Amino acid sequence: MALFAALACGPRALASSFGDNFVPVFFSGDTAELDAEALNVLAQVPARYAASRWSGGDRPIVISGHVDGDELGRGFRKLALERAKAVADHLAQAGLSRALFRLEAPLKPPMSTRGVEPRNRTAHVSW
């Protein structure tokens, strides 16, 4: 139920509704450019990742890029991977090893919709 309330309230509420090992990064339509809010969210990832490491070694970081139904319908599937790559590039510049990253671009949007849905224009970072 908390997830649905967070979805209704927008990106910041959504980000805080998940655990410490999940970070959603939101994008404007038809682009993989990181805006100021996305950069602010990503700035927290290295410290959160370092705080969550376990004694068995470094956890892989899965970066999953997504598009909404409108973008997918217009053939922008590669945009999902471009979003994941943009996040990976930024995290690498912030000091995280690229060897930890696993990039994904699932065909299905995270939320089931057919059209424009800004909450599906994301890259999910998890470890």
Side-chain angles (χ1 to χ4, degrees):
M1 199 58 125
L3 172 59
F4 294 113
L7 289 172
C9 294
R12 290 180 196 260
L14 178 62
S16 65
S17 69
F18 291 96
D20 289 335
N21 299 348
F22 179 87
V23 178
V25 180
F26 294 88
F27 292 85
S28 295
D30 301 345
T31 184
E33 291 184 32
L34 298 168
D35 63 16
E37 186 170 347
L39 294 172
N40 185 46
V41 168
L42 288 173
Q44 302 168 26
V45 171
R48 287 174 58 182
Y49 176 77
S52 70
R53 290 165 59 179
W54 79 83
S55 62
D58 293 329
R59 291 183 185 192
I61 299 172
V62 178
I63 304 170
S64 182
H66 301 277
V67 294
D68 70 12
D70 180 60
E71 293 167 328
L72 185 61
R74 290 184 287 130
F76 286 6
R77 177 150 178 3
K78 74 175 188 170
L79 180 58
L81 186 56
E82 290 170 1
R83 288 174 173 163
K85 286 180 181 178
V87 168
D89 290 344
H90 185 79
L91 292 177
Q93 290 175 356
L96 292 173
S97 171
R98 286 186 184 274
L100 297 171
F101 301 157
R102 188 178 87 215
L103 304 184
E104 299 177 344
L107 187 58
K108 185 177 178 183
M111 296 178 62
S112 181
T113 62
R114 292 180 184 242
V116 175
E117 176 51 70
R119 293 172 290 187
N120 282 337
R121 298 174 178 164
T122 63
H124 297 162
V125 182
S126 59
W127 60 91

